[in-house]
Amino acid sequence: MTKEHQNYLKKIKREKIIVITFQILILVGFLILWEILSKYKIINPFIFSSPSKVIETIKNLYLNYNLIGHILTTLYETLIAFILGISLSFIIAIILYEFKILNKIVDPYLTMLNSLPKVALGPLIIIIAGANTKSIIVMALLINLIVGIMSIYNGFNNIDKDLIKLFKTFNASRLDTLFKLTIPASYKTIISSLKLNISMTLIGVIMGEFLVSKSGLGYLIIYGTQVFNLDMVMSGIVILIVISFILYKIITYIEKKLLK
Amino acid sequence: MNKLLSITNLSKNYYHKKEEISAIKDISFSLYEGEFVSIVGPSGCGKSTLLNILTNMDTKTTGNINLKDNLKFGYMLQSDSMLSWKKVLDNALLGLEIRKEKTKENIEYVKNLFTKYGLKEFMNKYPDELSGGMRQRVALIRTLALKPDILILDEPFSKLDYQSRLKVSDDVYKIIKEEGKTALMVTHDLAEAISISDRVIVLSDRPCIIKNIYQIKREKEGTPIENRKDKNFAYYYDLIWKDLMFHD
Ligand SMILES: Nc1ncnc2c1ncn2[C@@H]1O[C@H](COP(=O)(O)OP(=O)(O)OP(=O)(O)O)[C@@H](O)[C@H]1O
Ligand SMILES: [Mg+2]
């Protein structure tokens, strides 16, 4: 290795250390500031809670309110909605791509559905599907499906036209073209759409839990609001942030493995 | 000589919302076994259309195409596009795979082509590890894998830089001759057409009709690069260039 190369590697390493150090500093600084501001009542501790109270509340939730159960409920719903969402997006995108005329027909409706705030449909979903897990999953699907369909469909549409022509020169059947070209060629797009999909799914699930209110982190947050226990609300939000971060990291990891 | 195909009074119209485009009009010519025929003509005049109709990828409007029984076409496109997730060998076997002809013999045949044309070490690499010229040769092997009687080439070298272009067209010419194939090639490059072919068909602007057909006579037959030095080369170049430049 040349001297320049070593210097270059060193520079990259130094940069990485700086980034991580500052990230940690910001987090710790934020927590300390939050604690102090709350302790000296510069911000209203009743509304904004404080890190120490959040930890205490989480402990309490864990011991007396079946916190693990709520987390598992949310995770379970997210997983189901996520898997369903991807499979359905994939199938629908294939159908729309293979039958272009169908795509033309439903296009305005998809656009309309996409721009509609899905929460507005909440009450309707509850009436149709009942105040249960089903409603929550339907809600999450409403949110992740359209994005999923659109990103996978775009992947299909961006396949190299020369490759499509190549398949034509071999007189390939539609099924052959679908399985030997269309799907493998958009593998990357499909995998990359997972990240967006998991965030959308979590949003949908929490929204669903807000509406249905039986269990889950969304329920904890809503319940906390109703009984005016804002420590509970804050704790719910903190746990949610951590969970969404972990889910995101897991998907990124899977993505990396699959794209290798 | 053995006639493989003859086209008579072939025409093709395309319909757009506002107009009807007559892409090719009244084209007639024949192709004989072992010939190398090039088609030159202005951009957008309908050369690809002609090839597409011949290979059944597009439909004719009027006219007749007579093919010898069981005539098989092999189409080599302008781009050497390959499936990036498949190894080079599997890419070359793609046509066979799709046509469900991936037999042991055929695989052996393709592997032999790789060996014969100096690509053996690259069989198990992925396409993006190959140079443009190598990819072009693999694309040719992919086409040859189907054992076609006639090779159809649509501007096969236009994506290469000038030097590799000379080299690859020499290689491709040798391969085609060695395998005893008949070839019909579209090109923009006059010098390439004259140096590689037995006959050059010159097409006019749209609607594209046949302006002239030249039987290329040489003092001595050689590879395309050698043929460029032939005494008659400049003569044909001048004739065809005038055909393309001056419209009547
Ligand atoms: N599928 C199609 N639908 C409508 N018009 C078409 C279609 N394909 C080709 N055309 C028209 O027919 C004409 C001839 O096209 P073609 O691709 O055969 O030309 P070309 O001679 O191969 O051109 P180039 O030298 O640029 O490759 C063009 O004007 C083109 O716009
Ligand atoms: Mg063309």
Side-chain angles (χ1 to χ4, degrees):
Chain A
M1 212 186 295
T2 62
K3 186 104 186 156
E4 285 76 22
H5 193 181
Q6 270 173 355
N7 284 343
Y8 171 74
L9 291 182
K10 249 187 222 154
K11 201 179 142 204
I12 291 182
K13 207 169 171 193
R14 200 171 333 125
E15 218 175 83
K16 203 171 174 191
I17 291 174
I18 293 176
V19 169
I20 293 179
T21 313
F22 271 90
Q23 282 172 339
I24 293 171
L25 278 180
I26 289 173
L27 182 66
V28 173
F30 171 76
L31 290 176
I32 291 173
L33 193 69
W34 183 9
E35 185 70 39
I36 291 173
L37 289 179
S38 174
K39 190 164 177 194
Y40 294 103
K41 307 236 158 58
I42 301 168
I43 54 173
N44 187 341
F46 177 71
I47 296 174
F48 292 104
S49 187
S50 71
S52 55
K53 264 198 258 168
V54 165
I55 291 170
E56 203 180 303
T57 314
I58 290 177
K59 220 187 275 167
N60 183 31
L61 284 173
Y62 171 70
L63 293 173
N64 305 321
Y65 286 87
N66 187 21
L67 177 61
I68 299 295
H70 288 295
I71 292 177
L72 286 181
T73 306
T74 300
L75 283 181
Y76 168 76
E77 289 158 352
T78 307
L79 189 70
I80 300 275
F82 178 64
I83 291 171
L84 264 179
I86 296 174
S87 326
L88 285 175
S89 317
F90 184 61
I91 293 167
I92 295 171
I94 287 178
I95 293 172
L96 292 182
Y97 180 75
E98 285 296 315
F99 304 96
K100 292 268 152 52
I101 182 92
L102 199 67
N103 182 36
K104 274 193 186 148
I105 295 170
V106 301
D107 187 62
Y109 300 106
L110 276 183
T111 314
M112 246 190 272
L113 208 59
N114 191 30
S115 48
L116 175 78
K118 300 338 164 261
V119 216
L121 295 176
L124 201 64
I125 296 171
I126 294 176
I127 291 169
I128 296 168
N132 53 36
T133 316
K134 243 192 283 170
S135 284
I136 296 171
I137 288 177
V138 171
M139 192 71 197
L141 282 179
L142 270 180
I143 292 182
N144 72 13
L145 257 184
I146 306 225
V147 181
I149 293 172
M150 285 185 171
S151 57
I152 295 176
Y153 181 83
N154 278 336
F156 290 164
N157 244 358
N158 284 332
I159 293 171
D160 186 355
K161 298 282 172 291
D162 289 328
L163 283 174
I164 296 175
K165 192 158 181 212
L166 176 72
F167 270 67
K168 271 199 197 134
T169 66
F170 294 137
N171 300 323
S173 67
R174 277 173 78 163
L175 223 54
D176 266 336
T177 311
L178 178 64
F179 284 107
K180 296 196 165 120
L181 175 64
T182 313
I183 294 175
S186 9
Y187 183 70
K188 271 189 194 160
T189 333
I190 295 168
I191 301 294
S192 315
S193 74
L194 297 184
K195 243 190 291 196
L196 184 60
N197 224 297
I198 192 82
S199 329
M200 288 296 171
T201 308
L202 196 59
I203 293 173
V205 164
I206 298 299
M207 241 153 65
E209 285 177 355
F210 278 1
L211 291 167
V212 174
S213 284
K214 273 203 178 130
S215 71
L217 288 171
Y219 162 74
L220 270 191
I221 293 170
I222 282 288
Y223 177 76
T225 320
Q226 281 161 357
V227 298
F228 246 69
N229 182 347
L230 290 172
D231 292 332
M232 196 192 249
V233 175
M234 220 34 123
S235 308
I237 292 172
V238 168
I239 294 170
L240 202 52
I241 290 172
V242 173
I243 284 183
S244 67
F245 182 73
I246 292 172
L247 283 179
Y248 188 82
K249 282 285 163 195
I250 292 175
I251 295 290
T252 313
Y253 177 78
I254 293 176
E255 200 179 299
K256 251 196 203 146
K257 285 269 142 193
L258 289 177
L259 286 183
K260 251 217 315 243
Chain B
M1 259 198 292
N2 199 351
K3 196 192 265 186
L4 294 186
L5 71 84
S6 62
I7 298 172
T8 35
N9 303 98
L10 187 72
S11 298
K12 170 76 184 178
N13 298 339
Y14 279 119
Y15 301 95
H16 293 259
K17 255 187 196 150
K18 289 211 180 103
E19 54 175 349
E20 179 177 352
I21 289 183
S22 165
I24 56 180
K25 200 173 158 190
D26 256 345
I27 301 268
S28 305
F29 68 90
S30 305
L31 201 57
Y32 295 89
E33 196 170 344
E35 262 192 318
F36 201 121
V37 175
S38 291
I39 299 177
V40 295
S43 195
C45 75
K47 301 178 297 290
S48 300
T49 304
L50 179 61
L51 299 187
N52 288 344
I53 294 173
L54 215 51
T55 49
N56 234 339
M57 285 165 61
D58 205 340
T59 54
K60 61 185 186 204
T61 307
T62 57
N64 264 316
I65 299 176
N66 268 315
L67 305 179
K68 205 184 145 203
D69 286 342
N70 303 320
L71 193 69
K72 273 205 285 186
F73 286 104
Y75 204 134
M76 183 167 158
L77 300 169
Q78 178 177 9
S79 81
D80 51 18
S81 296
M82 286 186 215
L83 305 179
S84 57
W85 59 92
K86 279 194 179 218
K87 291 189 173 152
V88 171
L89 177 62
D90 294 316
N91 265 293
L93 293 172
L94 186 66
L96 292 171
E97 184 185 332
I98 289 170
R99 298 238 174 119
K100 308 210 165 38
E101 294 170 14
K102 207 168 142 184
T103 60
K104 251 206 178 108
E105 288 104 314
N106 283 336
I107 296 175
E108 230 15 74
Y109 174 68
V110 171
K111 281 187 177 166
N112 276 334
L113 289 175
F114 271 96
T115 313
K116 209 156 142 194
Y117 300 116
L119 290 164
K120 194 176 175 212
E121 308 101 89
F122 299 98
M123 275 194 313
N124 290 314
K125 297 222 186 276
Y126 284 91
D128 50 8
E129 297 173 73
L130 267 58
S131 72
M134 287 178 187
R135 291 168 62 111
Q136 215 70 36
R137 275 182 285 160
V138 174
L140 180 62
I141 293 177
R142 176 171 67 190
T143 312
L144 289 174
L146 297 165
K147 299 189 176 153
D149 304 298
I150 300 183
L151 277 167
I152 303 283
L153 308 122
D154 195 352
E155 300 183 32
F157 315 121
S158 58
K159 294 222 170 130
L160 300 172
D161 61 87
Y162 191 69
Q163 279 201 9
S164 355
R165 185 170 181 143
L166 288 178
K167 169 99 179 53
V168 174
S169 61
D170 240 29
D171 288 346
V172 165
Y173 175 83
K174 275 182 213 154
I175 296 174
I176 288 173
K177 284 294 157 195
E178 196 146 327
E179 303 300 318
K181 303 291 181 196
T182 309
L184 181 61
M185 174 174 88
V186 162
T187 175
H188 270 122
D189 186 335
L190 291 192
E192 187 173 279
I194 297 165
S195 63
I196 210 170
S197 340
D198 304 309
R199 257 193 307 158
V200 177
I201 300 176
V202 185
L203 299 179
S204 73
D205 231 337
R206 256 200 352 248
C208 156
I209 55 170
I210 293 188
K211 214 160 177 184
N212 263 315
I213 300 185
Y214 295 97
Q215 187 80 41
I216 308 291
K217 297 193 185 73
R218 299 186 185 92
E219 294 217 292
K220 186 171 143 273
E221 286 300 321
T223 66
I225 291 183
E226 289 161 8
N227 287 345
R228 283 174 192 247
K229 296 179 203 115
D230 195 272
K231 198 175 94 216
N232 295 338
F233 180 84
Y235 164 71
Y236 289 117
Y237 194 97
D238 200 47
L239 277 180
I240 297 175
W241 184 77
K242 281 193 181 121
D243 274 347
L244 290 176
M245 285 308 285
F246 304 109
H247 310 294
D248 27 35

